[in-house]
Amino acid sequence: MIRAAVKSVTDSEDRSRNIIVYGVEELDSEVLPERVSDILHEIGEKPAVTDCCRIGFKRDKTGVRPVKFTVRSPDVANQLLRKAKLLRSKEGFKSVYISPDRTVSERRAYKKLVDPYSALIP
């Protein structure tokens, strides 16, 4: 029981520095850290990006895998998340979304919370 609590806390601390970016088109010869830096530059941020990778299995040509990257501290991650909504107004980034790294249970709870409202948006 104590091990599970410690693991939960350390996992939460690790995830607090991670950011997930959805909607970034996959290219054959892409340099992910540069693409992520370009996205962050659009919202006026230039943090040190580390450990940048696509997550999930590569599917067919139509699927776009999310990009996960890590920043130096949770404070930097929170600053990026606060400015994430600025991407909606930038040309070429309207379908790019920045969100925190959530656990499976957190994603389910968030989806359950958001789904009723997403049906209201045309």
Side-chain angles (χ1 to χ4, degrees):
M1 184 157 147
I2 293 174
R3 286 184 186 178
V6 169
K7 182 176 180 182
S8 173
V9 169
T10 56
D11 186 43
S12 159
E13 287 175 1
D14 289 344
R15 286 181 185 272
S16 68
R17 296 179 15 225
N18 293 343
I19 301 288
I20 308 293
V21 183
Y22 297 94
V24 179
E25 183 181 355
E26 289 192 54
L27 304 173
D28 289 333
S29 61
E30 66 183 358
V31 181
L32 275 178
E34 287 181 16
R35 298 212 46 210
V36 168
S37 293
D38 291 343
I39 292 168
L40 299 178
H41 179 71
E42 288 293 322
I43 59 173
E45 293 291 325
K46 296 180 184 179
V49 174
T50 59
D51 199 27
C52 190
C53 64
R54 294 252 180 209
I55 52 178
F57 294 107
K58 189 165 187 169
R59 298 182 188 146
D60 56 5
K61 299 276 184 192
T62 60
V64 178
R65 296 178 295 164
V67 176
K68 180 181 98 170
F69 67 92
T70 304
V71 292
R72 196 169 294 168
S73 72
D75 294 333
V76 174
N78 287 332
Q79 178 70 18
L80 294 174
L81 292 170
R82 278 193 294 272
K83 289 188 165 186
K85 62 185 173 192
L86 298 175
L87 278 177
R88 290 184 220 148
S89 64
K90 304 292 182 179
E91 190 63 38
F93 294 97
K94 293 184 187 311
S95 64
V96 176
Y97 299 96
I98 298 175
S99 71
D101 187 9
R102 296 184 175 105
T103 63
V104 173
S105 60
E106 289 172 336
R107 286 193 301 261
R108 284 187 190 132
Y110 183 77
K111 183 171 175 49
K112 193 180 291 185
L113 181 71
V114 171
D115 275 348
Y117 298 106
S118 64
L120 299 175
I121 299 172

